[in-house]
Amino acid sequence: MRVAVKPLLLLQLPNFRPTKKPNILPTFRNSYSIPLNTPFQTTLTKTLTRGISMAASSPPPTTVHVRDEIELTNVEKKIFDRLLGTLRHFGLQNQLRVAGGWVRDKLLGKDCYDIDIALEDMMGSEFVAKVRDYLLSVGEEPQGIAVIPSNPEQSKHLETARMRICDMWIDFVNLRCEEYSDDSRIPKTQKFGTAEEDAYRRDLTINSLFYNINTSSVEDYTKRGLEDLKSGRIVTPLPPKATFMDDPLRVLRAIRFGARFEFILDEELKEAAAGDDVKGALAAKISRERIGTEIDLMISGKQPVKAMAYICDLKLFWVVFSLPPKFEPAVSEGCDRLCIGYLDATWNLIQLIGCSTFSDEYRRLCLYAAMFLPLRKTIYKDNKAKKIPVVNYILRESLKRKASDAETVINVHNAMEKFLSLIPFLASNENIQLSEVEWGKEFADVPVTSQLRVLTGFLLREIKDFWRVALLVSTLLYKIECTEDLKNKNFHLDELRDTFKAVESAITELGLEKIWEVKPLVNGSEIIKVLQLRSGGPVVREWQQKLLAWQLANPSGTSEECLEWMKETHSKRVKME
């Protein structure tokens, strides 16, 4: 959903009146010009020339192929026909515009299913009601309708109405213009604005474009949207600090779009984003859910390393991934850079191994696990003085991700030490000596030739489907000897890949790929019966582990053979006692 926004500086201009301007291009329409006799012109001139002056000192931009016109799909044509039909049915003179990301993506030749309609002189909920009535009048059944209220304290200034048309969710918001008090970024008054006012209050120029459904034309009111899209630049329509202070989440959106499209961030934008005022506003004003959603989109995108590197470069890493007030040990200097180093190595290794090995969800969690590797041994105490991994705090509190995300990442970190002890034996297919690991007395009776399979089986039963994720991040620690090598990329990705593949193949050959799905041959009640116990307890749990070890060491064994082994072992223990 795109949040419609208006220019802050227009508040000082009671006499501001846009004037018509002839079309510059046959397809793209720049509908208005700014009068030269207003104070806004001075600020706007600085805003428009800012990007030009910055371009001289920035690296040469990439030329981006931008289409000359927007080609509508059949579904989009049907949706727009119903909206225009609503106008005709009720005799409305409103201009209907698709705002923001849909326009950008369509001009770039990309599919987009996120259609946001910006309305003149009408609230979204009011127009949705008219669309519903129109659809009923032509014999169509209206689909789901919802209204999402505004929340100015979290920088969500607009009420959004939503409904399904032709099986697509469409959002409707009004164009707006706001007035602010001197000491607050929460608007004290709101009123309907013009499309031009709205465009200048958008987060980025490439997101400020409109597609006018009434006239089937693209409108570029900032006079920069098309230019910046073609030159591959991330620029704010108004001075970046004002844009970011209006909604500090725009800092992260600028980073996400810069990484996603591999566009260049404007120098003044970077300076504003790294400023203390903006960082403070991002930490205090924006909900952690919104921050977490933006980070998830970056991590799940095609350029997660570039996005996180931008966050690090702009000194936003510990603002975004905030830590609890007290934790130990202290975070070392350069820890944020080390996090990016692990993320970079993991991302490149995934590409080399082949993305098909990891689903999108596994890849997302693998990247989180890798990025937070330097913090895996850092802990804090909760209200009950219980020691909790600080990574849990980051994922649950700083990013407000679901509990299962934090649980998975922490389980991966916990499994790594065991994986590190097994990798050399699995990679070389050599027998492991129990003396070389300290895993528990339940393995004491396992033959040497079976110990590798048993230990690996127990580990995979702990980590389950995420064992490849744990293996990949463990491979980094196994092959990369020091953090300086990581920072300087002084390692060989092909060696990391070969190690990962060798261990993966060994696990498959041992028949352990889905070992956690294998049910125990002997259940708890049978154990109680053999031991002649009244109920379960620690003794039963100990025997469950020992029997599972036997089962892993004897993959073709039967339940009868397992029980017989248990009786014999138990009998020997009783005699020795």
Side-chain angles (χ1 to χ4, degrees):
M1 182 182 72
R2 304 285 181 265
V3 179
V5 286
K6 280 28 126 228
L8 173 65
L9 295 176
L10 286 179
L11 306 173
Q12 304 168 5
L13 307 173
N15 298 321
F16 174 73
R17 296 288 186 274
T19 58
K20 291 283 181 110
K21 180 179 180 180
N23 294 352
I24 295 178
L25 296 174
T27 305
F28 300 121
R29 197 176 74 183
N30 294 300
S31 302
Y32 296 100
S33 62
I34 308 297
L36 295 176
N37 60 349
T38 68
F40 184 61
Q41 177 62 30
T42 303
T43 301
L44 181 61
T45 301
K46 292 180 180 178
T47 301
L48 296 177
T49 57
R50 169 169 51 86
I52 299 173
S53 63
M54 295 314 303
S57 60
S58 300
T62 302
T63 301
V64 179
H65 176 68
V66 177
R67 292 189 172 187
D68 291 334
E69 59 183 16
I70 285 180
E71 298 179 7
L72 301 180
T73 65
N74 289 333
V75 172
E76 290 165 346
K77 290 177 182 177
K78 291 178 181 178
I79 291 171
F80 296 165
D81 284 346
R82 282 153 177 77
L83 299 181
L84 293 174
T86 301
L87 295 182
R88 291 191 297 269
H89 181 77
F90 289 99
L92 301 175
Q93 301 301 313
N94 300 65
Q95 296 290 306
L96 301 178
R97 295 177 172 88
V98 187
W102 181 89
V103 186
R104 177 201 66 226
D105 287 352
K106 295 290 284 189
L107 289 173
L108 293 174
K110 302 177 184 294
D111 292 330
C112 185
Y113 305 99
D114 185 12
I115 299 179
D116 298 338
I117 306 296
L119 302 165
E120 283 186 335
D121 302 324
M122 186 178 292
M123 297 292 290
S125 54
E126 182 182 354
F127 187 74
V128 162
K130 292 185 180 299
V131 176
R132 177 196 59 203
D133 292 344
Y134 168 71
L135 292 178
L136 288 171
S137 72
V138 296
E140 289 190 31
E141 186 67 28
Q143 296 177 316
I145 297 176
V147 176
I148 304 169
S150 62
N151 186 357
E153 292 185 357
Q154 295 295 340
S155 292
K156 186 187 183 307
H157 300 308
L158 290 183
E159 172 190 279
T160 303
R162 175 177 292 177
M163 74 180 302
R164 287 181 69 84
I165 305 177
C166 300
D167 291 324
M168 281 185 64
W169 281 107
I170 313 297
D171 286 349
F172 298 84
V173 294
N174 59 284
L175 299 170
R176 65 169 186 155
C177 183
E178 300 167 341
E179 293 183 8
Y180 293 85
S181 59
D182 294 336
D183 58 353
S184 175
R185 300 310 306 169
I186 298 176
K188 63 181 182 180
T189 62
Q190 292 193 32
K191 58 184 179 180
F192 291 113
T194 67
E196 185 168 24
E197 290 169 335
D198 188 286
Y200 276 102
R201 290 298 298 278
R202 294 270 161 177
D203 54 358
L204 305 171
T205 56
I206 63 171
N207 295 336
S208 68
L209 300 166
F210 291 105
Y211 176 77
N212 190 313
I213 297 174
N214 302 59
T215 60
S216 301
S217 62
V218 172
E219 299 171 337
D220 185 7
Y221 289 100
T222 69
K223 317 298 186 294
R224 288 215 46 173
L226 293 171
E227 171 195 338
D228 290 331
L229 191 62
K230 290 177 180 179
S231 61
R233 290 193 173 277
I234 299 296
V235 184
T236 55
L238 291 175
K241 184 174 179 179
T243 298
F244 293 155
M245 292 300 288
D246 181 20
D247 182 355
L249 191 71
R250 290 170 178 168
V251 174
L252 298 184
R253 287 175 55 82
I255 290 171
R256 176 160 63 86
F257 286 118
R260 174 183 172 185
F261 297 117
E262 297 188 72
F263 284 6
I264 297 170
L265 297 186
D266 174 67
E267 291 299 322
E268 192 174 344
L269 180 152
K270 290 194 289 186
E271 182 179 348
D276 290 341
D277 289 346
V278 172
K279 287 194 290 187
L282 179 62
K285 188 177 180 182
I286 303 301
S287 73
R288 285 290 159 178
E289 287 86 353
R290 293 181 74 198
I291 291 175
T293 298
E294 285 295 324
I295 295 300
D296 235 28
L297 289 170
M298 296 180 203
I299 288 290
S300 303
K302 295 182 178 180
Q303 296 291 339
V305 180
K306 184 181 288 291
M308 294 303 112
Y310 276 147
I311 288 176
C312 194
D313 291 342
L314 297 176
K315 311 300 182 186
L316 295 170
F317 194 86
W318 300 119
V319 176
V320 172
F321 306 111
S322 61
L323 300 172
K326 295 181 180 180
F327 54 87
E328 57 181 23
V331 173
S332 62
E333 184 178 355
C335 180
D336 52 348
R337 293 288 176 189
L338 188 57
C339 290
I340 304 303
Y342 277 116
L343 179 69
D344 187 15
T346 301
W347 174 252
N348 284 291
L349 183 55
I350 289 174
Q351 309 308 306
L352 194 60
I353 290 170
C355 291
S356 59
T357 302
F358 298 90
S359 68
D360 290 345
E361 178 69 356
Y362 286 12
R363 184 165 61 247
R364 181 180 72 90
L365 291 169
C366 186
L367 294 175
Y368 275 128
M371 184 165 64
F372 297 137
L373 271 178
L375 298 168
R376 68 189 183 281
K377 295 182 179 179
T378 306
I379 56 97
Y380 73 103
K381 294 181 180 180
D382 64 10
N383 295 333
K384 298 180 180 180
K386 181 181 178 181
K387 293 182 178 180
I388 309 291
V390 79
V391 173
N392 181 80
Y393 182 93
I394 293 173
L395 289 168
R396 294 292 305 277
E397 303 300 330
S398 300
L399 302 180
K400 293 295 183 181
R401 299 299 87 194
K402 54 189 177 182
S404 59
D405 284 359
E407 182 180 349
T408 297
V409 171
I410 290 169
N411 286 343
V412 166
H413 286 173
N414 291 338
M416 286 172 51
E417 294 301 325
K418 293 181 178 179
F419 243 130
L420 285 171
S421 67
L422 295 178
I423 284 176
F425 302 97
L426 288 166
S428 61
N429 199 26
E430 295 179 1
N431 290 334
I432 189 172
Q433 296 291 331
L434 203 62
S435 59
E436 296 177 90
V437 295
E438 297 179 2
W439 281 33
K441 59 184 179 181
E442 62 267 25
F443 306 113
D445 299 321
V446 176
V448 172
T449 54
S450 300
Q451 285 177 2
L452 183 59
R453 187 178 196 276
V454 172
L455 294 174
T456 306
F458 267 85
L459 174 57
L460 267 57
R461 287 178 71 89
E462 288 180 22
I463 198 69
K464 297 182 173 63
D465 267 319
F466 289 94
W467 68 265
R468 283 186 174 86
V469 173
L471 171 59
L472 188 142
V473 293
S474 300
T475 302
L476 295 181
L477 295 183
Y478 177 70
K479 296 296 291 185
I480 301 175
E481 296 183 0
C482 68
T483 57
E484 287 304 314
D485 286 343
L486 186 70
K487 292 178 181 178
N488 299 326
K489 297 191 176 184
N490 186 25
F491 55 87
H492 300 288
L493 279 171
D494 54 348
E495 291 183 6
L496 294 172
R497 175 201 57 197
D498 293 345
T499 299
F500 175 90
K501 288 289 187 182
V503 175
E504 181 187 42
S505 297
I507 289 172
T508 302
E509 290 171 7
L510 288 170
L512 299 173
E513 195 170 9
K514 292 283 186 178
I515 192 61
W516 56 91
E517 296 179 354
V518 176
K519 295 182 179 180
L521 292 174
V522 179
N523 60 37
S525 60
E526 290 172 316
I527 295 173
I528 291 173
K529 184 178 180 180
V530 170
L531 299 178
Q532 297 181 345
L533 300 173
R534 292 184 179 181
S535 61
V539 175
V540 174
R541 287 193 291 272
E542 178 188 341
W543 273 102
Q544 285 176 325
Q545 295 295 91
K546 292 175 71 67
L547 290 169
L548 179 56
W550 184 92
Q551 185 174 339
L552 287 167
N554 300 272
S556 58
T558 64
S559 57
E560 291 78 11
E561 291 172 336
C562 188
L563 277 171
E564 186 62 32
W565 174 83
M566 178 187 174
K567 292 175 183 178
E568 292 178 2
T569 305
H570 177 61
S571 178
K572 291 178 182 178
R573 176 185 291 185
V574 171
K575 289 179 181 180
M576 290 178 63
E577 292 176 352

